[in-house]
Amino acid sequence: MEDSSETLSAPGRISSRCVYSGKVISVDLDEVRFPGGTTGELEIVRHSGASAVVPLLDIAKGPQVVLVRQYRYAASGYVYEVPAGRLDPNETPESCASRELKEETGYSAAVLRKLTTIYTTPGFTDERIHIFLAEQLTPGESAHEPDEFLELYPVSLLEAVEMVRAGKIVDAKTCVALLLTELMLSSR
């Protein structure tokens, strides 16, 4: 008897059509084959990807992190976040993390450790964010983009994690980054 899973075509894209292309994202209408063999159309937001970084300050007095409090139009106000930004064409995630750390906070890191890579919302976008921990920081001058409205918010890691638990930090990449940092530091 033939295995029915072998007679079905593999899941994946059948065709794709770009319906919007902008500065930050594009939107494709994809015809896809699902694992069960049926087909359908999905709207997919395409994104170049990004890097996020947890700037870790003085560990001797208890770990502190530098968050940014940034205006986000889509969230209708200010949001606490770790520094982050889109990858430039042909830029590595590590270079992007270092660049965004410097641009948003002024800090440079002697040590940059990869924590993880996440999909932000895999139900409708291919955006991936590479998350890093920055250590042994040296202060310097920041260089914000014209559309960035942010202020630095240094806080203990313990307080930042409490802000996640209390719903004061609602940005997904920041929640993941802070909780992974806490987990990593507790196992050192």
Side-chain angles (χ1 to χ4, degrees):
M1 183 167 174
E2 191 174 285
D3 181 1
S4 64
S5 65
E6 291 177 17
T7 61
L8 296 176
S9 296
R13 180 172 43 202
I14 297 169
S15 65
S16 184
R17 177 173 56 94
C18 182
V19 295
Y20 172 80
S21 184
K23 177 181 158 187
V24 177
I25 62 155
S26 64
V27 179
D28 292 351
L29 185 59
D30 287 3
E31 182 181 4
V32 299
R33 184 174 326 284
F34 300 111
T38 60
T39 62
E41 286 189 334
L42 295 175
E43 299 162 339
I44 303 295
V45 175
R46 305 287 182 196
H47 188 280
S48 62
S51 288
V53 59
V54 180
L56 187 63
L57 293 174
D58 192 3
I59 294 179
K61 296 179 183 176
Q64 295 203 332
V65 296
V66 180
L67 301 177
V68 295
R69 183 177 171 267
Q70 183 162 223
Y71 177 76
R72 294 294 193 181
Y73 172 76
S76 301
Y78 285 86
V79 177
Y80 292 102
E81 301 178 50
V82 293
R86 283 180 309 168
L87 278 87
D88 287 337
N90 302 314
E91 184 178 35
T92 66
E94 294 82 1
S95 295
C96 179
S98 292
R99 176 177 52 78
E100 288 295 333
L101 175 65
K102 179 74 172 158
E103 285 178 6
E104 293 189 7
T105 69
Y107 285 105
S108 298
V111 177
L112 197 62
R113 298 178 201 273
K114 177 94 177 256
L115 294 175
T116 195
T117 298
I118 61 171
Y119 280 97
T120 59
T121 316
F124 68 86
T125 183
D126 63 358
E127 180 187 21
R128 295 184 337 154
I129 298 183
H130 308 276
I131 301 175
F132 294 86
L133 178 64
E135 298 178 277
Q136 299 176 26
L137 303 180
T138 303
E141 293 296 317
S142 61
H144 300 159
E145 299 288 329
D147 64 348
E148 286 182 319
F149 301 93
L150 59 89
E151 60 190 42
L152 299 185
Y153 190 79
V155 62
S156 73
L157 179 59
L158 182 62
E159 184 178 340
V161 169
E162 269 310 309
M163 290 171 72
V164 170
R165 289 187 184 121
K168 292 179 181 174
I169 294 177
V170 295
D171 175 63
K173 71 179 177 303
T174 300
C175 293
V176 170
L178 293 171
L179 295 174
L180 282 175
T181 298
E182 178 190 42
L183 184 63
M184 189 188 90
L185 292 179
S186 69
S187 65
R188 276 189 178 174

